[in-house]
Amino acid sequence: EPLEEIILDVILAHPEYHSQLQETFINKDYLPEMGETNPFLHMSLHMSIQEQAGIDQPPGIRAVHEQLCRRHNGDWVRAEHEMMEALAETIWEAQRFGRGLDVNAYITRLRRLVGLGQEDNARINPHEVGLSDKISGRD
């Protein structure tokens, strides 16, 4: 299955996590304040970015992924590590402010990785769909 191939590629690209992919580590708490990286979160971020790039959602992410892969001579892991910072920061902001993901902030962070800036036209965030109808009473 395609998803299984993605998972396998991500696992194989991270031999430093192989020992932690045992059942004894699945329920372990990985605490940033202890300087620990959660290998499951890390690999999940890779899978998220690959899925987003595969369907080009948000639009433009595929081009960023391809440009970063070219910049790193085909090293998709290195390219995605750069992209992960943008995704993690966007997720952190959504959690911190108790709102949905800001797709405009996310795509802007990604575009900056390849020397582009903010897009001319703002996108509608998925969590805002229907919000304008509710505000205007068209709900």
Side-chain angles (χ1 to χ4, degrees), residues 13-26:
H14 290 82
E16 68 275 21
Y17 297 146
H18 290 181
S19 65
Q20 296 173 328
L21 295 177
Q22 301 170 26
E23 191 172 324
T24 55
F25 287 94
I26 290 176

Side-chain angles (χ1 to χ4, degrees), residues 5-7 9-10 45-55 65 76 80:
E5 289 178 28
I6 291 171
I7 293 168
D9 288 344
V10 170
L45 290 173
H46 271 291
M47 292 168 49
S48 295
I49 289 170
Q50 287 186 30
E51 179 68 20
Q52 291 170 2
I55 62 172
H65 189 268
W76 61 270
E80 289 175 12

Side-chain angles (χ1 to χ4, degrees), residues 35-98:
E36 297 178 298
T37 298
N38 183 328
F40 302 100
L41 174 60
H42 180 89
M43 291 187 285
S44 293
L45 290 173
H46 271 291
M47 292 168 49
S48 295
I49 289 170
Q50 287 186 30
E51 179 68 20
Q52 291 170 2
I55 62 172
D56 198 30
Q57 186 60 23
I61 192 170
R62 180 183 294 145
V64 170
H65 189 268
E66 290 171 355
Q67 287 179 41
L68 288 172
C69 285
R70 279 194 302 275
R71 179 187 298 167
H72 296 300
N73 300 312
D75 187 345
W76 61 270
V77 175
R78 193 167 167 200
E80 289 175 12
H81 284 170
E82 284 189 50
M83 296 174 77
M84 272 184 211
E85 293 294 324
L87 179 55
E89 187 174 352
T90 305
I91 292 169
W92 178 83
E93 277 185 352
Q95 290 175 331
R96 180 172 184 224
F97 299 114

